[in-house]
Amino acid sequence: MYKLSDSPHIRKKDTLEKVMYDVVIALLPCMISAVYYFGWNAVKIMVVAIITGLLTEGILAKLMKKSWKCIFDGSGLVTTLLLALIIPHMTPLWMVALGSIFGIGAGKMAYGGVGENIFNPALVGRIFMMISFPSTLYKFHTADGAAGATAFPIVKYMGADWLAANVGGKTELYKSLITGKEILGSMGEINKIAILIGFLYLGFRKRLKWKVPLLVVATSGILSYFYGEDPVLSILSGGLIFGAVYMCTDMVSGPVTENGKAVFAIFVGACAFFIRKYTSHPVGIGYAILLGNVLAPLINKYTEPRVYGKDRNMKKIYGVLSVVILFVSGIFILTGLDKISQKRKEVREEKLMSQVKSYIFQKDLRYEDEEGIYHEGYVFIPAYDESENKYYLVLGEAKGYGNKTIKFAMGITPDEKIAGVRILESSETEGLGANIKDEKWMEHWRGMDTGYKFEKERDAAAGATYTYKNIHKTFHEVLMKSKNLSQEDSQEEELDGEGGATDTEWGDENSEKAEETTATVTTTEETDGEGGASDSEWEEEGESK
């Protein structure tokens, strides 16, 4: 007797749960590496991402009249772990929770749940966080807390040789990029050895096609070589390898045909390179994979196997070529627009700085180094008049009410007085702290030195005492730091024999200045660290707006 059943008639022992938990096992090396480098922060981020993501999945499943037990199939666990591993370890936990909720809710359950999503849910959550909180998601830290950008933007603007020279040579740089030691990046992306272990496990368990991640990495590396970049640095930097192994191989959001997988991999590798090369985004693998997800149904359609006995459909081939040409053209158009936008921004900033310099100094000065000197939290740009007297244009930040950032430019004269002040950016309350942008308020700073004392009735316009008091303390601090910087310059000139005075003459003068500066700095340290005068010198008030 025959038993009739629907196709397919090939049975395998694999289940969704087995596949998903194999991916979890493959992620273990990256998870262990994240905990090793970043400690409890990594643990907390992973726990928060998992709990909020699975709760979201269970609640939405009940609302969709499905079983809440779907949270145990492993798919949600994989998504939340991936999300946790592709964000910086200093990301606030509430942001992690929002990203996990959005990734599961909008990236997975909105399409019907497991197997129905058209985008990789972890990437949906990551892109949502990048768009919503760019200042946090683009700021990375090493294990010891040093902050900065990943290797990509440094190489883009400073060059690979400069980066290598600052870490002890290319060999040391490559070694650091492989092991993740002292490398800035997302938690699970920095250690390439851990990723390789997971890749080998998935390959031997036949959970992925080897050629997909290899083609993604090879395409990006080859394009880097032909564009005159270091292909090894291009491959090892950022999240390219992590994305190639754990996200390009997603069985749901990627193509299912064999040829389609290859086309998808090459497309993602090329997009990742061009996005990094021609746009303001330092790493493009996330956006590249989402673009590939959009094209996956089309790639499936035009790469389906030929039916035996039938000729190839040339219309389909022409259709694929047309789509490729359109997307390549679109990339170049978008990158062109990005360049135009960046150029306009640079022109605006240059024009603004020209106006700022003109207002502050009210005379033309010669700037030998537009980049300036980074000194104790502020940027000092030296400038000279026709008599070679040294001025400084100082760029820095102060804290306003509610810890809001106030960006300013200040000019300092050769006799260490304020030449002028200009507020570049402020989000203070209109009618109160926002009056720091008033021309009259900025004008009254001209000629002031470190001996100027803050008086609430005179210097705190519109009753915004905290804002005015705090920015006054910051300006005082800048003047003190400019004195220290001038002293360092004088000492260097003395050592170089360019000071024009004997050691004895300089010694007496520097001793007096050093004692004076030490006394002032000691007073500064007794404050809350934000200004240059002790609490006893400030008029006591409630620091309220």
Side-chain angles (χ1 to χ4, degrees):
M1 184 176 180
Y2 296 98
K3 182 179 180 180
L4 299 178
S5 63
D6 294 331
S7 61
H9 302 296
I10 299 173
R11 298 285 184 261
K12 294 184 72 174
K13 293 182 179 179
D14 282 339
T15 62
L16 173 65
E17 290 78 5
K18 287 183 179 179
V19 174
M20 290 296 107
Y21 284 108
D22 265 345
V23 178
V24 173
I25 292 170
L27 284 170
L28 280 176
C30 292
M31 295 161 61
I32 293 169
S33 170
V35 175
Y36 174 78
Y37 281 121
F38 304 117
W40 282 108
N41 266 11
V43 176
K44 287 187 284 187
I45 285 175
M46 286 188 281
V47 169
V48 169
I50 291 169
I51 291 174
T52 53
L54 294 184
L55 279 174
T56 302
E57 185 174 13
I59 292 169
L60 291 178
K62 288 293 289 183
L63 292 174
M64 297 164 66
K65 297 182 179 179
K66 294 185 176 183
S67 173
W68 64 271
K69 294 182 179 180
C70 63
I71 64 174
F72 298 116
D73 63 21
S75 61
L77 180 60
V78 169
T79 295
T80 52
L81 278 176
L82 286 174
L83 176 65
L85 292 171
I86 57 176
I87 57 178
H89 82 284
M90 294 296 285
T91 306
L93 296 181
W94 64 268
M95 284 189 194
V96 178
L98 280 180
S100 187
I101 291 168
F102 192 87
I104 291 290
K108 180 182 178 183
M109 300 305 290
Y111 295 96
V114 64
E116 303 291 335
N117 52 287
I118 62 174
F119 298 108
N120 186 294
L123 277 178
V124 170
R126 173 73 154 95
I127 299 300
F128 163 75
M129 295 171 73
M130 286 170 65
I131 294 171
S132 304
F133 317 107
S135 60
T136 301
L137 269 291
Y138 279 117
K139 189 174 183 180
F140 299 93
H141 298 73
T142 58
D144 59 5
T150 61
F152 269 146
I154 297 174
V155 170
K156 186 172 184 178
Y157 297 111
M158 302 300 293
D161 292 336
W162 182 92
L163 179 61
N166 280 269
V167 295
K170 283 198 172 180
T171 302
E172 286 299 317
L173 175 59
Y174 294 158
K175 190 185 298 182
S176 296
L177 288 170
I178 290 171
T179 61
K181 184 181 180 182
E182 297 178 0
I183 290 296
L184 295 156
S186 298
M187 295 199 311
E189 298 174 347
I190 58 173
N191 191 335
K192 308 307 182 293
I193 296 174
I195 299 172
L196 180 61
I197 293 171
F199 169 65
L200 292 175
Y201 177 81
L202 290 175
F204 285 117
R205 290 285 294 166
K206 297 182 179 179
R207 302 307 187 197
L208 55 71
K209 295 291 182 181
W210 297 76
K211 66 182 179 184
V212 173
L214 294 178
L215 279 173
V216 172
V217 171
T219 301
S220 188
I222 290 169
L223 286 171
S224 299
Y225 175 79
F226 281 113
Y227 274 79
E229 298 183 3
D230 185 338
V232 179
L233 190 60
S234 175
I235 290 170
L236 294 178
S237 300
L240 179 70
I241 296 179
F242 188 91
V245 172
Y246 293 108
M247 295 179 177
C248 289
T249 54
D250 183 15
M251 292 175 286
V252 178
S253 57
V256 296
T257 64
E258 291 301 312
N259 291 335
K261 292 179 188 295
V263 172
F264 174 83
I266 294 170
F267 175 83
V268 169
C271 278
F273 172 79
F274 285 119
I275 290 171
R276 173 176 63 87
K277 177 75 175 175
Y278 292 110
T279 73
S280 57
H281 297 287
V283 182
I285 186 65
Y287 291 104
I289 294 172
L290 289 182
L291 284 173
N293 293 159
V294 172
L295 280 180
L298 199 61
I299 293 173
N300 279 330
K301 180 179 178 181
Y302 288 114
T303 58
E304 61 186 15
R306 179 171 64 92
V307 177
Y308 181 75
K310 290 189 176 182
D311 294 332
R312 294 187 182 278
N313 190 339
M314 294 305 296
K315 287 184 179 180
K316 289 185 177 182
I317 296 174
Y318 293 145
V320 171
L321 290 175
S322 300
V323 170
V324 170
I325 292 170
L326 283 172
F327 264 87
V328 171
S329 301
I331 289 171
F332 278 103
I333 290 170
L334 289 173
T335 54
L337 291 174
D338 189 76
K339 280 187 174 181
I340 293 170
S341 175
Q342 189 68 23
K343 185 67 178 175
R344 286 178 177 173
K345 182 181 178 183
E346 291 173 1
V347 170
R348 284 196 302 270
E349 289 177 351
E350 187 177 342
K351 184 178 179 181
L352 174 64
M353 287 309 298
S354 176
Q355 293 171 347
V356 165
K357 292 172 184 176
S358 175
Y359 171 84
I360 286 177
F361 295 109
Q362 298 185 338
K363 59 163 59 175
D364 290 329
L365 298 175
R366 186 182 80 256
Y367 295 85
E368 289 187 348
D369 182 11
E370 291 287 349
E371 296 296 326
I373 305 162
Y374 186 81
H375 179 69
E376 297 185 17
Y378 302 95
V379 177
F380 291 78
I381 304 176
Y384 303 86
D385 60 17
E386 62 278 358
S387 302
E388 296 302 310
N389 294 312
K390 181 185 275 190
Y391 294 74
Y392 282 115
L393 174 66
V394 186
L395 304 177
E397 295 180 357
K399 292 299 181 184
Y401 187 75
N403 212 34
K404 294 175 182 176
T405 298
I406 302 170
K407 295 183 179 180
F408 65 87
M410 175 196 289
I412 299 178
T413 63
D415 58 349
E416 296 171 341
K417 294 182 179 179
I418 296 178
V421 169
R422 198 74 171 176
I423 302 300
L424 304 177
E425 185 180 314
S426 171
S427 57
E428 294 293 279
T429 306
E430 289 297 328
L432 296 174
N435 285 347
I436 57 173
K437 293 183 284 188
D438 184 75
E439 295 280 346
K440 183 179 178 181
W441 179 84
M442 288 187 286
E443 275 297 322
H444 97 285
W445 288 98
R446 292 190 190 275
M448 293 183 185
D449 57 20
T450 54
Y452 182 79
K453 296 290 189 288
F454 175 84
E455 292 183 14
K456 182 172 68 173
E457 298 302 323
R458 178 185 61 193
D459 299 318
T465 309
Y466 185 91
T467 297
Y468 289 89
K469 178 180 175 181
N470 215 40
I471 200 168
H472 180 277
K473 293 167 73 177
T474 302
F475 289 171
H476 188 279
E477 181 181 90
V478 172
L479 285 173
M480 294 305 305
K481 292 183 186 300
S482 73
K483 280 189 175 184
N484 297 339
L485 187 60
S486 298
Q487 281 191 341
E488 290 176 11
D489 290 343
S490 299
Q491 289 169 2
E492 287 179 7
E493 288 177 357
E494 178 189 342
L495 293 172
D496 293 338
E498 298 174 356
T502 65
D503 290 345
T504 306
E505 291 170 344
W506 281 107
D508 294 339
E509 184 179 346
N510 283 338
S511 296
E512 294 174 5
K513 282 190 176 182
E515 291 174 4
E516 183 181 26
T517 303
T518 303
T520 311
V521 171
T522 302
T523 306
T524 303
E525 289 174 350
E526 293 172 358
T527 69
D528 58 2
E530 296 178 356
S534 67
D535 288 339
S536 61
E537 295 177 15
W538 301 104
E539 181 176 348
E540 292 297 327
E541 34 73 20
E543 292 190 353
S544 61
K545 236 177 179 182

mmCIF file of all heavy atoms in Angstrom, residues 66-92:
data_model
loop_
_atom_site.group_PDB
_atom_site.id
_atom_site.type_symbol
_atom_site.label_atom_id
_atom_site.label_comp_id
_atom_site.label_asym_id
_atom_site.label_seq_id
_atom_site.Cartn_x
_atom_site.Cartn_y
_atom_site.Cartn_z
ATOM 1 N N LYS A 66 -0.777 33.690 17.380
ATOM 2 C CA LYS A 66 0.162 32.581 17.183
ATOM 3 C C LYS A 66 0.661 32.145 18.552
ATOM 4 O O LYS A 66 0.455 32.821 19.554
ATOM 5 C CB LYS A 66 1.341 33.027 16.312
ATOM 6 C CG LYS A 66 0.955 33.373 14.876
ATOM 7 C CD LYS A 66 2.197 33.696 14.056
ATOM 8 C CE LYS A 66 1.834 33.955 12.604
ATOM 9 N NZ LYS A 66 3.028 34.200 11.771
ATOM 10 N N SER A 67 1.358 31.047 18.582
ATOM 11 C CA SER A 67 1.865 30.541 19.854
ATOM 12 C C SER A 67 3.066 31.377 20.316
ATOM 13 O O SER A 67 3.997 31.621 19.546
ATOM 14 C CB SER A 67 2.289 29.076 19.707
ATOM 15 O OG SER A 67 2.937 28.638 20.887
ATOM 16 N N TRP A 68 3.030 31.786 21.587
ATOM 17 C CA TRP A 68 4.156 32.553 22.133
ATOM 18 C C TRP A 68 5.409 31.694 22.262
ATOM 19 O O TRP A 68 6.527 32.213 22.435
ATOM 20 C CB TRP A 68 3.787 33.126 23.504
ATOM 21 C CG TRP A 68 3.529 32.066 24.545
ATOM 22 C CD1 TRP A 68 2.356 31.453 24.828
ATOM 23 C CD2 TRP A 68 4.501 31.483 25.419
ATOM 24 N NE1 TRP A 68 2.511 30.531 25.832
ATOM 25 C CE2 TRP A 68 3.828 30.528 26.214
ATOM 26 C CE3 TRP A 68 5.867 31.658 25.615
ATOM 27 C CZ2 TRP A 68 4.481 29.761 27.180
ATOM 28 C CZ3 TRP A 68 6.522 30.902 26.577
ATOM 29 C CH2 TRP A 68 5.832 29.959 27.347
ATOM 30 N N LYS A 69 5.260 30.389 22.151
ATOM 31 C CA LYS A 69 6.402 29.480 22.291
ATOM 32 C C LYS A 69 7.381 29.566 21.123
ATOM 33 O O LYS A 69 8.438 28.934 21.139
ATOM 34 C CB LYS A 69 5.906 28.040 22.448
ATOM 35 C CG LYS A 69 5.137 27.808 23.750
ATOM 36 C CD LYS A 69 4.714 26.360 23.898
ATOM 37 C CE LYS A 69 3.961 26.138 25.207
ATOM 38 N NZ LYS A 69 3.539 24.728 25.360
ATOM 39 N N CYS A 70 7.028 30.395 20.119
ATOM 40 C CA CYS A 70 7.950 30.591 18.996
ATOM 41 C C CYS A 70 9.265 31.217 19.460
ATOM 42 O O CYS A 70 10.274 31.159 18.748
ATOM 43 C CB CYS A 70 7.314 31.468 17.928
ATOM 44 S SG CYS A 70 6.924 33.149 18.482
ATOM 45 N N ILE A 71 9.269 31.801 20.664
ATOM 46 C CA ILE A 71 10.500 32.410 21.160
ATOM 47 C C ILE A 71 11.580 31.361 21.442
ATOM 48 O O ILE A 71 12.759 31.700 21.599
ATOM 49 C CB ILE A 71 10.249 33.235 22.435
ATOM 50 C CG1 ILE A 71 9.772 32.340 23.584
ATOM 51 C CG2 ILE A 71 9.250 34.353 22.165
ATOM 52 C CD1 ILE A 71 9.639 33.066 24.910
ATOM 53 N N PHE A 72 11.184 30.088 21.493
ATOM 54 C CA PHE A 72 12.147 29.021 21.783
ATOM 55 C C PHE A 72 12.718 28.370 20.520
ATOM 56 O O PHE A 72 13.540 27.457 20.627
ATOM 57 C CB PHE A 72 11.495 27.936 22.657
ATOM 58 C CG PHE A 72 11.043 28.436 23.990
ATOM 59 C CD1 PHE A 72 9.695 28.439 24.331
ATOM 60 C CD2 PHE A 72 11.959 28.929 24.909
ATOM 61 C CE1 PHE A 72 9.268 28.905 25.562
ATOM 62 C CE2 PHE A 72 11.534 29.402 26.145
ATOM 63 C CZ PHE A 72 10.187 29.392 26.474
ATOM 64 N N ASP A 73 12.283 28.837 19.322
ATOM 65 C CA ASP A 73 12.799 28.196 18.107
ATOM 66 C C ASP A 73 14.216 28.646 17.756
ATOM 67 O O ASP A 73 14.840 28.096 16.845
ATOM 68 C CB ASP A 73 11.855 28.430 16.916
ATOM 69 C CG ASP A 73 11.727 29.910 16.547
ATOM 70 O OD1 ASP A 73 12.609 30.716 16.890
ATOM 71 O OD2 ASP A 73 10.707 30.253 15.897
ATOM 72 N N GLY A 74 14.751 29.631 18.465
ATOM 73 C CA GLY A 74 16.140 30.058 18.255
ATOM 74 C C GLY A 74 16.319 31.204 17.292
ATOM 75 O O GLY A 74 17.373 31.857 17.291
ATOM 76 N N SER A 75 15.328 31.486 16.456
ATOM 77 C CA SER A 75 15.488 32.545 15.458
ATOM 78 C C SER A 75 15.580 33.921 16.115
ATOM 79 O O SER A 75 16.396 34.766 15.736
ATOM 80 C CB SER A 75 14.336 32.515 14.456
ATOM 81 O OG SER A 75 13.086 32.728 15.103
ATOM 82 N N GLY A 76 14.737 34.156 17.125
ATOM 83 C CA GLY A 76 14.789 35.428 17.841
ATOM 84 C C GLY A 76 16.075 35.571 18.629
ATOM 85 O O GLY A 76 16.646 36.670 18.728
ATOM 86 N N LEU A 77 16.560 34.477 19.185
ATOM 87 C CA LEU A 77 17.815 34.492 19.935
ATOM 88 C C LEU A 77 18.981 34.871 19.026
ATOM 89 O O LEU A 77 19.842 35.680 19.394
ATOM 90 C CB LEU A 77 18.053 33.121 20.574
ATOM 91 C CG LEU A 77 19.332 32.958 21.399
ATOM 92 C CD1 LEU A 77 19.349 33.929 22.561
ATOM 93 C CD2 LEU A 77 19.466 31.517 21.893
ATOM 94 N N VAL A 78 19.004 34.302 17.824
ATOM 95 C CA VAL A 78 20.069 34.624 16.857
ATOM 96 C C VAL A 78 20.019 36.099 16.480
ATOM 97 O O VAL A 78 21.039 36.795 16.452
ATOM 98 C CB VAL A 78 19.938 33.739 15.595
ATOM 99 C CG1 VAL A 78 20.852 34.243 14.483
ATOM 100 C CG2 VAL A 78 20.273 32.293 15.929
ATOM 101 N N THR A 79 18.814 36.606 16.199
ATOM 102 C CA THR A 79 18.663 38.014 15.808
ATOM 103 C C THR A 79 19.174 38.949 16.890
ATOM 104 O O THR A 79 19.935 39.891 16.616
ATOM 105 C CB THR A 79 17.181 38.330 15.515
ATOM 106 O OG1 THR A 79 16.759 37.583 14.380
ATOM 107 C CG2 THR A 79 16.982 39.805 15.241
ATOM 108 N N THR A 80 18.760 38.711 18.125
ATOM 109 C CA THR A 80 19.149 39.609 19.216
ATOM 110 C C THR A 80 20.640 39.521 19.534
ATOM 111 O O THR A 80 21.271 40.531 19.858
ATOM 112 C CB THR A 80 18.325 39.311 20.473
ATOM 113 O OG1 THR A 80 18.401 37.903 20.788
ATOM 114 C CG2 THR A 80 16.865 39.686 20.254
ATOM 115 N N LEU A 81 21.208 38.330 19.428
ATOM 116 C CA LEU A 81 22.651 38.187 19.652
ATOM 117 C C LEU A 81 23.443 38.911 18.567
ATOM 118 O O LEU A 81 24.443 39.586 18.853
ATOM 119 C CB LEU A 81 23.037 36.706 19.688
ATOM 120 C CG LEU A 81 22.830 35.973 21.004
ATOM 121 C CD1 LEU A 81 23.173 34.498 20.848
ATOM 122 C CD2 LEU A 81 23.678 36.597 22.115
ATOM 123 N N LEU A 82 23.005 38.762 17.320
ATOM 124 C CA LEU A 82 23.675 39.454 16.217
ATOM 125 C C LEU A 82 23.627 40.965 16.418
ATOM 126 O O LEU A 82 24.625 41.668 16.225
ATOM 127 C CB LEU A 82 23.028 39.077 14.877
ATOM 128 C CG LEU A 82 23.333 37.689 14.323
ATOM 129 C CD1 LEU A 82 22.514 37.422 13.076
ATOM 130 C CD2 LEU A 82 24.824 37.555 13.996
ATOM 131 N N LEU A 83 22.454 41.460 16.812
ATOM 132 C CA LEU A 83 22.317 42.897 17.047
ATOM 133 C C LEU A 83 23.275 43.354 18.145
ATOM 134 O O LEU A 83 23.947 44.388 18.012
ATOM 135 C CB LEU A 83 20.876 43.233 17.430
ATOM 136 C CG LEU A 83 20.619 44.702 17.806
ATOM 137 C CD1 LEU A 83 20.852 45.612 16.617
ATOM 138 C CD2 LEU A 83 19.214 44.878 18.345
ATOM 139 N N ALA A 84 23.339 42.597 19.232
ATOM 140 C CA ALA A 84 24.214 42.976 20.349
ATOM 141 C C ALA A 84 25.679 43.011 19.927
ATOM 142 O O ALA A 84 26.452 43.858 20.397
ATOM 143 C CB ALA A 84 24.023 41.998 21.510
ATOM 144 N N LEU A 85 26.069 42.121 19.029
ATOM 145 C CA LEU A 85 27.478 42.004 18.643
ATOM 146 C C LEU A 85 27.901 43.002 17.575
ATOM 147 O O LEU A 85 29.093 43.136 17.300
ATOM 148 C CB LEU A 85 27.768 40.578 18.157
ATOM 149 C CG LEU A 85 27.690 39.493 19.236
ATOM 150 C CD1 LEU A 85 27.783 38.102 18.611
ATOM 151 C CD2 LEU A 85 28.785 39.680 20.281
ATOM 152 N N ILE A 86 26.938 43.725 16.966
ATOM 153 C CA ILE A 86 27.314 44.685 15.927
ATOM 154 C C ILE A 86 27.126 46.131 16.381
ATOM 155 O O ILE A 86 27.013 47.032 15.559
ATOM 156 C CB ILE A 86 26.543 44.440 14.615
ATOM 157 C CG1 ILE A 86 25.033 44.489 14.843
ATOM 158 C CG2 ILE A 86 26.952 43.116 13.982
ATOM 159 C CD1 ILE A 86 24.203 44.338 13.567
ATOM 160 N N ILE A 87 27.122 46.346 17.700
ATOM 161 C CA ILE A 87 27.046 47.708 18.229
ATOM 162 C C ILE A 87 28.204 47.933 19.193
ATOM 163 O O ILE A 87 28.777 46.978 19.730
ATOM 164 C CB ILE A 87 25.701 47.985 18.936
ATOM 165 C CG1 ILE A 87 25.462 46.983 20.069
ATOM 166 C CG2 ILE A 87 24.555 47.953 17.942
ATOM 167 C CD1 ILE A 87 24.173 47.232 20.832
ATOM 168 N N PRO A 88 28.589 49.192 19.442
ATOM 169 C CA PRO A 88 29.688 49.481 20.373
ATOM 170 C C PRO A 88 29.346 49.068 21.804
ATOM 171 O O PRO A 88 28.180 49.081 22.200
ATOM 172 C CB PRO A 88 29.832 51.011 20.275
ATOM 173 C CG PRO A 88 29.199 51.393 18.982
ATOM 174 C CD PRO A 88 28.097 50.416 18.763
ATOM 175 N N HIS A 89 30.364 48.735 22.583
ATOM 176 C CA HIS A 89 30.113 48.215 23.925
ATOM 177 C C HIS A 89 29.718 49.308 24.924
ATOM 178 O O HIS A 89 29.302 48.991 26.038
ATOM 179 C CB HIS A 89 31.343 47.471 24.443
ATOM 180 C CG HIS A 89 32.420 48.343 25.022
ATOM 181 N ND1 HIS A 89 33.276 49.082 24.238
ATOM 182 C CD2 HIS A 89 32.753 48.615 26.306
ATOM 183 C CE1 HIS A 89 34.099 49.760 25.021
ATOM 184 N NE2 HIS A 89 33.808 49.494 26.274
ATOM 185 N N MET A 90 29.828 50.589 24.530
ATOM 186 C CA MET A 90 29.412 51.675 25.412
ATOM 187 C C MET A 90 28.000 52.172 25.080
ATOM 188 O O MET A 90 27.559 53.190 25.606
ATOM 189 C CB MET A 90 30.403 52.841 25.309
ATOM 190 C CG MET A 90 31.794 52.510 25.833
ATOM 191 S SD MET A 90 31.817 52.140 27.603
ATOM 192 C CE MET A 90 31.647 53.779 28.284
ATOM 193 N N THR A 91 27.285 51.456 24.219
ATOM 194 C CA THR A 91 25.915 51.848 23.877
ATOM 195 C C THR A 91 25.016 51.765 25.110
ATOM 196 O O THR A 91 24.989 50.737 25.789
ATOM 197 C CB THR A 91 25.342 50.924 22.784
ATOM 198 O OG1 THR A 91 26.232 50.914 21.667
ATOM 199 C CG2 THR A 91 23.978 51.401 22.330
ATOM 200 N N PRO A 92 24.281 52.841 25.434
ATOM 201 C CA PRO A 92 23.376 52.791 26.599
ATOM 202 C C PRO A 92 22.370 51.653 26.466
ATOM 203 O O PRO A 92 21.889 51.353 25.364
ATOM 204 C CB PRO A 92 22.680 54.158 26.555
ATOM 205 C CG PRO A 92 23.621 55.052 25.819
ATOM 206 C CD PRO A 92 24.296 54.175 24.798
#
